[in-house]
Amino acid sequence: MVATDFDAEREYDDEQFSAQSVFRSDRMKVVLGYFEPGQFIPVHAPDSDVAITVREGRGVVRDGDDEHAVGPGDVVVVPAGEDRGVKADADRRLEATLVTAPPPTDAEHDPVREGLKRGEFDPRGGD
């Protein structure tokens, strides 16, 4: 069994969101996401499902063309191939668990890296 604690894993980064890996297999990846105010995972559309559960804070989760305001206890599931992204509100931190199945490939995260480099939530121009 893999077990961890949000408080023990908590690590914020002033430059970009922090993702602490909890578990990874060929079928699933589990990370704890820590976002300073305004930080984000840029919009991308990998070929994997994702379930995002907010533990603390507030923000938005992109699901296709929709953005859902989220807070503690909210769960958003985005199917494979749909645009997705997570962004903390400008005035508070956000902590969430992100479970992807199967784990995205390195190439599928190119839009994430590009969006972080350019500082854009939606690197394809929908920001």
Side-chain angles (χ1 to χ4, degrees):
M1 176 175 104
V2 175
T4 193
D5 179 284
F6 261 92
D7 296 328
E9 298 293 331
R10 184 175 288 114
E11 184 175 313
Y12 286 94
D13 182 326
D14 290 339
E15 299 299 316
Q16 66 181 33
F17 76 96
S18 174
Q20 302 301 315
S21 183
V22 173
F23 176 81
R24 184 181 179 105
S25 72
D26 292 341
R27 297 180 311 265
M28 178 175 64
K29 178 180 175 183
V30 180
V31 299
L32 305 179
Y34 300 94
F35 303 77
E36 290 284 8
Q39 289 182 339
F40 53 85
I41 297 174
V43 174
H44 60 299
D47 194 22
S48 59
D49 300 321
V50 65
I52 301 162
T53 304
V54 177
R55 179 177 186 260
E56 288 185 15
R58 299 214 175 271
V60 296
V61 173
R62 172 79 61 86
D63 173 5
D65 292 331
D66 298 324
E67 286 191 1
H68 303 280
V70 293
D74 288 339
V75 178
V76 178
V77 178
V78 183
E82 290 289 323
D83 284 341
R84 68 190 60 177
V86 179
K87 186 174 185 178
D89 280 357
D91 62 348
R92 66 182 80 186
R93 288 177 162 174
L94 177 71
E95 296 183 359
T97 304
L98 297 90
V99 179
T100 55
T105 66
D106 189 55
E108 288 175 315
H109 272 141
D110 283 344
V112 172
R113 286 185 285 277
E114 183 62 26
L116 290 171
K117 183 166 56 170
R118 295 189 338 213
E120 296 175 338
F121 179 54
D122 190 340
R124 296 152 313 152
D127 199 21

